[in-house]
Amino acid sequence: MSVVSNAKLLEKYLSLEQHGAVQVEYVWIDGFNNLRSKTKTVTKVPQSAAELSEWNYDGSSTGQAEGHDSDVLIQPVALFNDPFRGGDNKFVLCETFNPDGTPHKSNYRNACKKIMDAHADSKPWFGLEQEYMFMDPQTEKPYGWPKLGYPEPQGKYYCGVGAGKIFGRDIIEAHYRACLYAGIKISGINAEVSASQFEFQVGPCLGIEGGDHLWAARYLLERVAEDFGIAVTIHPKPIKGDWNGAGCHTNFSTEEMRQEGGIVAIESAIKKMAKRHMEHIAVYGEDNDQRLTGRHETGHIETFNYGVANRGASIRIPRQVGKEGKGYLEDRRPASNIDPYRVTGIIVESTFWPEN
Ligand code: ADP
Ligand code: MN
Ligand code: MN
Ligand code: MN
Protein backbone atom coordinates (compact mmCIF):
# COMPACT_ATOMS: atom_id res chain seq x y z
CA MET A 1 0.00 0.00 0.00
CA SER A 2 1.47 3.34 -1.01
CA VAL A 3 -0.15 5.86 1.32
CA VAL A 4 3.37 6.83 2.29
CA SER A 5 5.69 7.34 -0.67
CA ASN A 6 8.10 4.51 -1.37
CA ALA A 7 11.35 6.48 -1.47
CA LYS A 8 13.58 3.61 -2.56
CA LEU A 9 11.36 2.63 -5.47
CA LEU A 10 10.76 6.24 -6.55
CA GLU A 11 14.52 6.85 -6.78
CA LYS A 12 14.72 4.50 -9.79
CA TYR A 13 12.26 6.63 -11.77
CA LEU A 14 13.61 10.00 -10.65
CA SER A 15 17.00 9.05 -12.10
CA LEU A 16 15.55 8.53 -15.60
CA GLU A 17 16.68 10.92 -18.35
CA GLN A 18 14.28 13.89 -18.87
CA HIS A 19 15.47 14.82 -22.39
CA GLY A 20 15.55 18.55 -21.69
CA ALA A 21 12.00 18.76 -20.44
CA VAL A 22 11.66 20.66 -17.15
CA GLN A 23 8.96 19.98 -14.58
CA VAL A 24 7.62 23.09 -12.87
CA GLU A 25 5.34 22.69 -9.87
CA TYR A 26 2.94 25.66 -9.68
CA VAL A 27 2.08 26.32 -6.01
CA TRP A 28 -0.68 28.63 -4.79
CA ILE A 29 -2.70 29.49 -1.67
CA ASP A 30 -6.30 28.24 -1.70
CA GLY A 31 -9.45 29.69 -0.09
CA PHE A 32 -8.68 28.03 3.25
CA ASN A 33 -5.15 29.38 3.81
CA ASN A 34 -3.74 26.03 2.63
CA LEU A 35 -1.41 25.24 -0.24
CA ARG A 36 -2.27 23.52 -3.53
CA SER A 37 -0.07 22.63 -6.47
CA LYS A 38 0.02 21.01 -9.89
CA THR A 39 2.73 20.39 -12.47
CA LYS A 40 3.48 21.69 -15.93
CA THR A 41 6.21 20.59 -18.36
CA VAL A 42 8.20 23.43 -19.94
CA THR A 43 10.89 23.21 -22.61
CA LYS A 44 13.60 25.41 -21.14
CA VAL A 45 15.00 25.96 -17.68
CA PRO A 46 13.35 29.11 -16.31
CA GLN A 47 15.73 31.66 -14.75
CA SER A 48 12.95 33.67 -13.09
CA ALA A 49 9.24 33.42 -12.32
CA ALA A 50 8.54 36.09 -14.96
CA GLU A 51 9.64 33.67 -17.71
CA LEU A 52 6.85 31.26 -16.79
CA SER A 53 3.41 31.56 -18.35
CA GLU A 54 0.17 32.23 -16.52
CA TRP A 55 -2.00 29.16 -15.85
CA ASN A 56 -5.36 28.38 -14.26
CA TYR A 57 -7.20 25.86 -12.10
CA ASP A 58 -10.68 24.94 -10.93
CA GLY A 59 -11.45 27.35 -8.09
CA SER A 60 -14.71 25.55 -7.22
CA SER A 61 -12.57 22.74 -5.77
CA THR A 62 -10.40 25.05 -3.65
CA GLY A 63 -13.01 27.25 -1.96
CA GLN A 64 -12.33 30.10 -4.39
CA ALA A 65 -15.11 30.09 -7.02
CA GLU A 66 -18.65 28.98 -7.87
CA GLY A 67 -19.07 25.97 -10.17
CA HIS A 68 -20.47 27.92 -13.15
CA ASP A 69 -17.55 30.33 -13.41
CA SER A 70 -14.74 28.49 -11.74
CA ASP A 71 -11.47 29.42 -13.45
CA VAL A 72 -8.91 31.09 -11.21
CA LEU A 73 -5.78 32.40 -12.92
CA ILE A 74 -2.32 31.85 -11.44
CA GLN A 75 0.64 34.10 -12.14
CA PRO A 76 4.11 32.81 -11.17
CA VAL A 77 5.92 35.23 -8.79
CA ALA A 78 8.76 33.46 -6.93
CA LEU A 79 10.92 30.64 -8.31
CA PHE A 80 12.74 27.93 -6.31
CA ASN A 81 14.68 24.72 -6.99
CA ASP A 82 12.57 21.61 -6.52
CA PRO A 83 14.23 19.35 -3.92
CA PHE A 84 11.87 16.46 -4.67
CA ARG A 85 12.47 16.10 -8.39
CA GLY A 86 15.98 17.58 -8.30
CA GLY A 87 18.00 18.50 -11.39
CA ASP A 88 16.73 21.52 -13.30
CA ASN A 89 13.18 21.08 -12.03
CA LYS A 90 11.56 23.97 -10.19
CA PHE A 91 8.63 24.96 -8.07
CA VAL A 92 7.09 28.38 -8.29
CA LEU A 93 4.84 30.35 -5.95
CA CYS A 94 1.91 31.99 -7.72
CA GLU A 95 -0.56 34.79 -7.09
CA THR A 96 -4.25 34.11 -7.80
CA PHE A 97 -6.47 36.32 -9.99
CA ASN A 98 -10.14 36.46 -11.01
CA PRO A 99 -11.00 36.05 -14.72
CA ASP A 100 -11.28 39.87 -15.01
CA GLY A 101 -7.65 40.26 -13.91
CA THR A 102 -8.34 41.61 -10.41
CA PRO A 103 -6.53 39.90 -7.51
CA HIS A 104 -8.58 37.09 -5.93
CA LYS A 105 -9.84 38.03 -2.47
CA SER A 106 -7.63 35.31 -0.93
CA ASN A 107 -4.59 36.84 -2.66
CA TYR A 108 -2.99 39.00 0.05
CA ARG A 109 0.36 39.13 -1.69
CA ASN A 110 -0.81 41.62 -4.27
CA ALA A 111 -1.62 44.38 -1.76
CA CYS A 112 1.46 43.54 0.31
CA LYS A 113 3.70 43.95 -2.73
CA LYS A 114 2.29 47.45 -3.33
CA ILE A 115 3.08 48.45 0.27
CA MET A 116 6.60 46.99 0.02
CA ASP A 117 7.22 48.78 -3.30
CA ALA A 118 5.99 52.10 -1.87
CA HIS A 119 8.47 51.79 1.04
CA ALA A 120 11.32 50.06 -0.80
CA ASP A 121 13.67 52.97 0.13
CA SER A 122 13.48 52.01 3.80
CA LYS A 123 14.79 48.49 3.01
CA PRO A 124 12.43 46.56 5.32
CA TRP A 125 13.77 43.22 6.59
CA PHE A 126 11.72 40.40 8.08
CA GLY A 127 12.61 37.32 10.09
CA LEU A 128 9.64 34.98 10.52
CA GLU A 129 9.62 32.25 13.19
CA GLN A 130 7.20 29.55 12.12
CA GLU A 131 6.06 27.29 14.96
CA TYR A 132 4.14 24.13 14.11
CA MET A 133 3.29 20.65 15.34
CA PHE A 134 3.54 17.23 13.69
CA MET A 135 0.33 15.20 13.74
CA ASP A 136 -0.19 11.48 13.27
CA PRO A 137 -2.87 11.20 10.55
CA GLN A 138 -3.91 7.75 11.86
CA THR A 139 -4.66 8.82 15.44
CA GLU A 140 -5.13 12.59 14.88
CA LYS A 141 -2.93 13.13 17.91
CA PRO A 142 0.46 14.85 17.90
CA TYR A 143 3.14 12.61 16.40
CA GLY A 144 4.84 10.42 19.00
CA TRP A 145 2.21 11.01 21.71
CA PRO A 146 0.89 7.87 23.45
CA LYS A 147 -2.38 6.38 22.15
CA LEU A 148 -3.98 6.91 25.55
CA GLY A 149 -3.34 9.87 27.79
CA TYR A 150 -0.53 12.38 27.46
CA PRO A 151 3.25 12.47 27.32
CA GLU A 152 5.13 13.94 30.28
CA PRO A 153 4.28 17.60 30.90
CA GLN A 154 6.23 20.14 28.90
CA GLY A 155 9.59 21.20 30.28
CA LYS A 156 12.05 18.84 28.63
CA TYR A 157 11.11 19.21 24.99
CA TYR A 158 12.36 22.75 24.13
CA CYS A 159 15.63 22.35 22.20
CA GLY A 160 15.59 18.80 23.56
CA VAL A 161 18.29 16.24 22.98
CA GLY A 162 17.73 12.50 23.32
CA ALA A 163 15.08 9.83 22.96
CA GLY A 164 11.72 10.62 24.51
CA LYS A 165 12.22 14.36 24.06
CA ILE A 166 12.16 14.70 20.29
CA PHE A 167 9.59 13.19 17.97
CA GLY A 168 10.50 13.54 14.30
CA ARG A 169 14.07 14.77 14.10
CA ASP A 170 14.46 13.04 10.72
CA ILE A 171 11.62 15.18 9.33
CA ILE A 172 12.99 18.52 10.54
CA GLU A 173 16.47 17.65 9.26
CA ALA A 174 15.09 16.67 5.85
CA HIS A 175 13.06 19.89 5.70
CA TYR A 176 16.05 22.06 6.59
CA ARG A 177 18.16 20.62 3.75
CA ALA A 178 15.25 20.79 1.32
CA CYS A 179 14.90 24.53 2.09
CA LEU A 180 18.63 25.16 1.57
CA TYR A 181 18.52 23.27 -1.73
CA ALA A 182 15.47 25.25 -2.85
CA GLY A 183 17.17 28.59 -2.19
CA ILE A 184 15.01 29.58 0.77
CA LYS A 185 16.67 31.88 3.32
CA ILE A 186 16.06 29.50 6.21
CA SER A 187 17.99 30.88 9.19
CA GLY A 188 17.55 28.03 11.68
CA ILE A 189 15.38 25.38 13.32
CA ASN A 190 14.65 24.35 16.91
CA ALA A 191 12.47 22.02 18.92
CA GLU A 192 9.76 23.92 20.81
CA VAL A 193 8.20 23.83 24.28
CA SER A 194 5.36 21.42 23.60
CA ALA A 195 6.02 17.75 22.72
CA SER A 196 6.23 17.26 18.93
CA GLN A 197 6.28 21.05 18.39
CA PHE A 198 9.02 22.64 16.30
CA GLU A 199 10.03 25.93 14.71
CA PHE A 200 11.91 27.07 11.65
CA GLN A 201 12.90 30.64 10.84
CA VAL A 202 13.30 32.44 7.54
CA GLY A 203 15.21 35.68 7.28
CA PRO A 204 16.39 38.27 7.14
CA CYS A 205 14.30 38.66 4.00
CA LEU A 206 13.82 41.92 2.10
CA GLY A 207 10.23 43.15 1.70
CA ILE A 208 7.91 40.77 -0.14
CA GLU A 209 10.54 38.02 0.10
CA GLY A 210 9.51 37.49 3.76
CA GLY A 211 6.07 36.19 2.81
CA ASP A 212 7.38 34.37 -0.26
CA HIS A 213 10.05 32.45 1.60
CA LEU A 214 7.76 31.60 4.50
CA TRP A 215 5.12 30.14 2.17
CA ALA A 216 7.78 28.29 0.17
CA ALA A 217 9.20 26.79 3.39
CA ARG A 218 5.69 25.80 4.51
CA TYR A 219 5.18 24.08 1.16
CA LEU A 220 8.38 22.06 1.63
CA LEU A 221 7.43 21.20 5.21
CA GLU A 222 4.06 19.78 4.10
CA ARG A 223 5.72 17.80 1.30
CA VAL A 224 8.61 16.45 3.38
CA ALA A 225 6.29 15.42 6.24
CA GLU A 226 3.99 13.80 3.65
CA ASP A 227 6.92 11.60 2.58
CA PHE A 228 7.21 10.43 6.19
CA GLY A 229 3.44 9.85 6.42
CA ILE A 230 3.09 12.68 8.94
CA ALA A 231 0.80 15.72 8.87
CA VAL A 232 1.58 19.29 9.97
CA THR A 233 -0.69 21.64 11.86
CA ILE A 234 -0.13 25.37 12.10
CA HIS A 235 -3.19 25.94 14.32
CA PRO A 236 -2.24 28.41 17.10
CA LYS A 237 -3.61 26.17 19.89
CA PRO A 238 -3.56 22.62 18.57
CA ILE A 239 -3.83 21.01 22.03
CA LYS A 240 -5.98 22.52 24.76
CA GLY A 241 -4.63 22.85 28.28
CA ASP A 242 -1.15 23.36 29.61
CA TRP A 243 0.62 23.01 26.27
CA ASN A 244 2.19 26.01 24.53
CA GLY A 245 0.33 27.41 21.57
CA ALA A 246 2.07 28.20 18.29
CA GLY A 247 3.05 31.59 16.93
CA CYS A 248 4.82 33.19 14.04
CA HIS A 249 6.92 35.89 15.75
CA THR A 250 7.71 38.52 13.18
CA ASN A 251 11.08 40.26 13.48
CA PHE A 252 11.26 43.56 11.65
CA SER A 253 13.69 46.35 10.90
CA THR A 254 14.23 49.18 8.48
CA GLU A 255 17.61 50.48 7.39
CA GLU A 256 17.21 53.39 9.81
CA MET A 257 16.58 50.97 12.71
CA ARG A 258 19.71 49.00 11.85
CA GLN A 259 21.94 52.07 11.88
CA GLU A 260 23.53 53.86 14.88
CA GLY A 261 20.82 55.24 17.17
CA GLY A 262 18.21 53.13 15.40
CA ILE A 263 16.40 52.50 18.69
CA VAL A 264 14.63 55.85 18.21
CA ALA A 265 13.09 54.61 14.96
CA ILE A 266 12.26 51.27 16.61
CA GLU A 267 10.38 52.99 19.45
CA SER A 268 8.61 55.32 17.06
CA ALA A 269 7.37 52.33 15.02
CA ILE A 270 6.24 50.54 18.18
CA LYS A 271 4.26 53.59 19.32
CA LYS A 272 2.46 53.74 15.99
CA MET A 273 1.76 50.02 16.04
CA ALA A 274 0.36 50.37 19.57
CA LYS A 275 -2.28 52.82 18.33
CA ARG A 276 -3.48 50.28 15.77
CA HIS A 277 -3.29 47.23 18.05
CA MET A 278 -6.74 45.83 17.22
CA GLU A 279 -6.23 46.42 13.48
CA HIS A 280 -3.06 44.36 13.70
CA ILE A 281 -4.76 41.63 15.75
CA ALA A 282 -7.49 41.41 13.07
CA VAL A 283 -4.93 40.12 10.54
CA TYR A 284 -2.72 38.18 12.97
CA GLY A 285 -4.43 34.81 12.50
CA GLU A 286 -7.69 32.97 13.26
CA ASP A 287 -8.19 31.58 16.78
CA ASN A 288 -5.31 33.69 18.06
CA ASP A 289 -7.44 34.45 21.14
CA GLN A 290 -6.90 30.83 22.21
CA ARG A 291 -3.16 31.50 22.21
CA LEU A 292 -2.74 35.12 23.35
CA THR A 293 -3.97 34.54 26.90
CA GLY A 294 -1.14 36.25 28.77
CA ARG A 295 0.23 32.81 29.71
CA HIS A 296 2.71 30.49 27.97
CA GLU A 297 5.07 33.35 26.98
CA THR A 298 2.40 35.55 25.40
CA GLY A 299 0.85 38.95 26.02
CA HIS A 300 -2.97 39.16 26.35
CA ILE A 301 -4.80 39.73 23.06
CA GLU A 302 -6.64 42.82 24.35
CA THR A 303 -3.68 44.72 25.72
CA PHE A 304 -0.62 46.15 24.06
CA ASN A 305 2.72 46.38 25.83
CA TYR A 306 6.35 46.24 24.90
CA GLY A 307 9.68 45.87 26.60
CA VAL A 308 13.31 44.89 26.35
CA ALA A 309 13.77 41.10 26.63
CA ASN A 310 10.13 40.66 27.71
CA ARG A 311 8.68 37.45 26.29
CA GLY A 312 5.30 38.22 27.86
CA ALA A 313 4.99 41.41 25.80
CA SER A 314 3.20 42.12 22.52
CA ILE A 315 6.45 43.45 21.10
CA ARG A 316 9.87 42.54 22.43
CA ILE A 317 13.04 44.53 21.88
CA PRO A 318 15.77 41.85 22.02
CA ARG A 319 18.26 42.45 24.86
CA GLN A 320 21.15 42.86 22.43
CA VAL A 321 19.20 45.52 20.52
CA GLY A 322 18.49 47.41 23.75
CA LYS A 323 22.18 47.29 24.60
CA GLU A 324 23.48 48.36 21.19
CA GLY A 325 20.74 50.94 20.65
CA LYS A 326 19.98 49.63 17.17
CA GLY A 327 18.68 46.56 15.38
CA TYR A 328 15.13 45.25 15.16
CA LEU A 329 11.92 44.57 17.01
CA GLU A 330 10.05 41.30 17.50
CA ASP A 331 6.27 41.37 17.12
CA ARG A 332 5.19 38.34 19.18
CA ARG A 333 1.47 38.64 18.46
CA PRO A 334 1.15 36.91 15.06
CA ALA A 335 -0.24 33.36 15.26
CA SER A 336 1.32 30.37 13.52
CA ASN A 337 -1.50 30.29 10.94
CA ILE A 338 -1.03 33.85 9.64
CA ASP A 339 -0.84 34.81 6.04
CA PRO A 340 2.59 36.50 6.31
CA TYR A 341 1.72 38.93 3.51
CA ARG A 342 -0.99 40.48 5.72
CA VAL A 343 1.33 40.70 8.73
CA THR A 344 4.43 42.09 7.00
CA GLY A 345 2.17 44.45 5.06
CA ILE A 346 0.46 46.03 8.08
CA ILE A 347 3.75 46.31 10.01
CA VAL A 348 5.27 48.41 7.23
CA GLU A 349 2.04 50.35 6.78
CA SER A 350 1.88 51.23 10.50
CA THR A 351 5.59 52.07 10.70
CA PHE A 352 5.08 54.75 8.05
CA TRP A 353 1.64 55.80 9.31
CA PRO A 354 1.42 59.61 9.28
CA GLU A 355 1.93 61.10 12.78
CA ASN A 356 -1.17 62.45 14.50
P1 ADP B 1 13.98 34.20 19.04
O1 ADP B 1 15.13 34.57 19.91
O2 ADP B 1 12.82 35.11 19.22
O3 ADP B 1 13.62 32.75 19.13
P2 ADP B 1 14.93 33.49 16.34
O4 ADP B 1 16.41 33.32 16.37
O5 ADP B 1 14.10 32.26 16.33
O6 ADP B 1 14.52 34.49 17.54
O7 ADP B 1 14.50 34.32 15.05
C1 ADP B 1 14.98 35.61 14.80
C2 ADP B 1 14.77 35.92 13.33
O8 ADP B 1 15.01 37.31 13.13
C3 ADP B 1 15.68 35.18 12.38
O9 ADP B 1 14.96 34.70 11.28
C4 ADP B 1 16.66 36.25 11.93
O10 ADP B 1 17.13 36.03 10.62
C5 ADP B 1 15.80 37.48 11.98
N1 ADP B 1 16.54 38.76 12.09
C6 ADP B 1 17.79 38.97 12.57
N2 ADP B 1 18.15 40.25 12.46
C7 ADP B 1 17.08 40.90 11.91
C8 ADP B 1 16.83 42.24 11.54
N3 ADP B 1 17.74 43.22 11.73
N4 ADP B 1 15.64 42.53 10.97
C9 ADP B 1 14.72 41.59 10.79
N5 ADP B 1 14.90 40.30 11.11
C10 ADP B 1 16.06 39.95 11.67
MN1 MN C 1 12.61 31.53 17.71
MN1 MN D 1 9.58 29.90 19.24
MN1 MN E 1 10.74 34.71 18.92
Side-chain angles (χ1 to χ4, degrees):
M1 199 176 70
S2 188
V3 173
V4 178
S5 67
N6 187 329
K8 202 68 213 151
L9 199 53
L10 177 61
E11 229 170 66
K12 184 168 86 178
Y13 300 97
L14 286 182
S15 62
L16 295 174
E17 172 59 43
Q18 284 184 235
H19 302 300
V22 178
Q23 293 165 293
V24 181
E25 192 75 14
Y26 279 56
V27 180
W28 68 91
I29 300 155
D30 71 8
F32 311 106
N33 201 42
N34 290 318
L35 290 161
R36 307 270 178 150
S37 76
K38 60 176 184 171
T39 321
K40 182 181 217 160
T41 305
V42 302
T43 52
K44 80 183 220 311
V45 184
Q47 302 303 319
S48 72
E51 287 176 23
L52 289 163
S53 59
E54 187 181 281
W55 205 10
N56 61 70
Y57 63 90
D58 171 17
S60 70
S61 301
T62 61
Q64 289 167 304
E66 298 296 326
H68 58 267
D69 183 15
S70 69
D71 265 14
V72 174
L73 308 176
I74 33 180
Q75 189 69 58
V77 288
L79 187 67
F80 300 91
N81 299 318
D82 184 343
F84 305 107
R85 294 183 171 125
D88 287 332
N89 302 300
K90 307 285 179 194
F91 76 94
V92 72
L93 269 186
C94 299
E95 277 193 36
T96 52
F97 293 89
N98 300 309
D100 66 4
T102 55
H104 191 274
K105 68 175 191 305
S106 60
N107 173 0
Y108 294 107
R109 187 186 189 277
N110 203 263
C112 179
K113 179 79 165 59
K114 292 194 172 104
I115 295 170
M116 295 304 169
D117 286 347
H119 299 288
D121 292 353
S122 70
K123 302 196 173 61
W125 285 6
F126 296 97
L128 294 146
E129 304 171 49
Q130 176 72 63
E131 292 179 338
Y132 61 92
M133 191 175 249
F134 287 131
M135 301 296 284
D136 186 332
Q138 308 297 326
T139 62
E140 293 186 358
K141 294 185 100 179
Y143 178 53
W145 284 36
K147 261 210 182 78
L148 300 167
Y150 292 86
E152 279 179 56
Q154 57 184 39
K156 63 177 186 176
Y157 306 110
Y158 171 74
C159 297
V161 176
K165 296 166 203 148
I166 293 291
F167 312 119
R169 194 182 296 277
D170 45 2
I171 312 175
I172 64 172
E173 285 296 323
H175 173 251
Y176 200 162
R177 274 305 169 88
C179 285
L180 292 175
Y181 177 90
I184 293 167
K185 291 182 178 169
I186 185 164
S187 43
I189 58 172
N190 63 270
E192 270 301 337
V193 175
S194 184
S196 205
Q197 188 186 38
F198 295 94
E199 169 179 314
F200 67 80
Q201 305 99 30
V202 297
C205 290
L206 178 64
I208 199 69
E209 201 182 60
D212 288 349
H213 284 221
L214 186 71
W215 274 115
R218 281 177 176 176
Y219 169 68
L220 295 188
L221 182 62
E222 289 277 2
R223 285 288 311 272
V224 168
E226 174 192 321
D227 275 350
F228 288 85
I230 298 302
V232 176
T233 179
I234 55 168
H235 190 276
K237 190 71 181 178
I239 306 296
K240 305 258 176 285
D242 208 7
W243 298 95
N244 271 30
C248 191
H249 297 167
T250 302
N251 301 276
F252 166 67
S253 63
T254 59
E255 188 165 55
E256 194 185 1
M257 296 174 186
R258 295 187 291 270
Q259 284 169 353
E260 263 344 282
I263 192 78
V264 176
I266 291 173
E267 281 181 344
S268 147
I270 292 173
K271 281 183 183 125
K272 291 189 195 175
M273 281 198 252
K275 285 188 189 155
R276 303 182 75 211
H277 176 61
M278 289 322 283
E279 284 162 83
H280 279 251
I281 289 296
V283 299
Y284 277 12
E286 297 265 312
D287 296 329
N288 205 9
D289 54 313
Q290 296 173 26
R291 165 184 166 258
L292 293 183
T293 57
R295 299 183 57 224
H296 299 119
E297 301 167 58
T298 69
H300 195 276
I301 195 161
E302 277 159 22
T303 54
F304 181 92
N305 62 329
Y306 77 98
V308 173
N310 182 358
R311 289 179 189 265
S314 317
I315 291 184
R316 172 176 72 113
I317 297 174
R319 188 177 302 285
Q320 193 64 15
V321 174
K323 225 163 83 184
E324 289 178 9
K326 64 174 182 185
Y328 63 99
L329 61 88
E330 178 193 42
D331 192 341
R332 299 176 60 82
R333 298 170 292 173
S336 44
N337 59 353
I338 51 163
D339 186 321
Y341 298 125
R342 302 181 83 178
V343 172
T344 57
I346 197 171
I347 288 175
V348 169
E349 187 181 80
S350 291
T351 296
F352 296 101
W353 204 251
E355 304 278 359
N356 52 25

Coordinates of all heavy atoms in Angstrom, one line a residue, residues 129 199 249 251 311 316 330 332, ligand 4:
E129 N 9.4 33.5 12.4 CA 9.6 32.3 13.2 C 8.4 31.4 13.1 O 7.4 31.7 13.9 CB 9.9 32.6 14.6 CG 11.1 33.5 14.8 CD 11.2 34.0 16.3 OE1 11.1 33.2 17.2 OE2 11.3 35.2 16.5
E199 N 10.0 24.6 15.3 CA 10.0 25.9 14.7 C 11.1 26.0 13.6 O 12.2 25.3 13.8 CB 10.3 27.0 15.8 CG 10.7 28.4 15.2 CD 10.9 29.4 16.3 OE1 10.2 29.5 17.3 OE2 12.0 30.1 16.1
H249 N 6.3 34.6 15.4 CA 6.9 35.9 15.7 C 7.5 36.5 14.5 O 8.1 35.8 13.7 CB 8.1 35.6 16.7 CG 7.6 35.1 18.0 ND1 8.5 34.5 19.0 CD2 6.4 35.0 18.6 CE1 7.8 34.1 20.0 NE2 6.5 34.4 19.8
N251 N 10.0 39.3 13.2 CA 11.1 40.3 13.5 C 11.2 41.2 12.3 O 11.1 40.8 11.2 CB 12.4 39.5 13.7 CG 12.3 38.5 14.8 OD1 12.4 38.8 15.9 ND2 11.9 37.2 14.5
R311 N 9.4 38.4 27.1 CA 8.7 37.4 26.3 C 7.2 37.4 26.6 O 6.5 36.6 26.0 CB 9.4 36.1 26.4 CG 10.7 36.1 25.7 CD 11.5 34.8 25.8 NE 12.8 34.9 25.2 CZ 13.2 34.6 24.0 NH1 12.3 34.2 23.1 NH2 14.4 34.8 23.6
R316 N 8.7 42.6 21.6 CA 9.9 42.5 22.4 C 11.0 43.2 21.7 O 11.2 43.1 20.5 CB 10.2 41.1 22.6 CG 11.6 40.8 23.3 CD 11.9 39.4 23.6 NE 12.1 38.6 22.4 CZ 13.3 38.1 22.1 NH1 14.4 38.2 22.9 NH2 13.5 37.4 20.9
E330 N 10.7 42.6 17.7 CA 10.0 41.3 17.5 C 8.6 41.4 17.9 O 8.2 41.6 19.0 CB 10.7 40.2 18.4 CG 10.0 38.9 18.2 CD 10.3 37.9 19.3 OE1 10.5 38.2 20.5 OE2 10.5 36.7 19.0
R332 N 5.5 39.7 18.7 CA 5.2 38.3 19.2 C 3.7 38.0 19.0 O 3.3 36.9 19.4 CB 5.6 38.2 20.7 CG 7.1 38.5 20.9 CD 7.5 38.4 22.3 NE 7.2 37.2 23.0 CZ 8.0 36.1 22.9 NH1 9.1 36.2 22.2 NH2 7.8 35.0 23.5
Ligands
MN4 MN 10.7 34.7 18.9

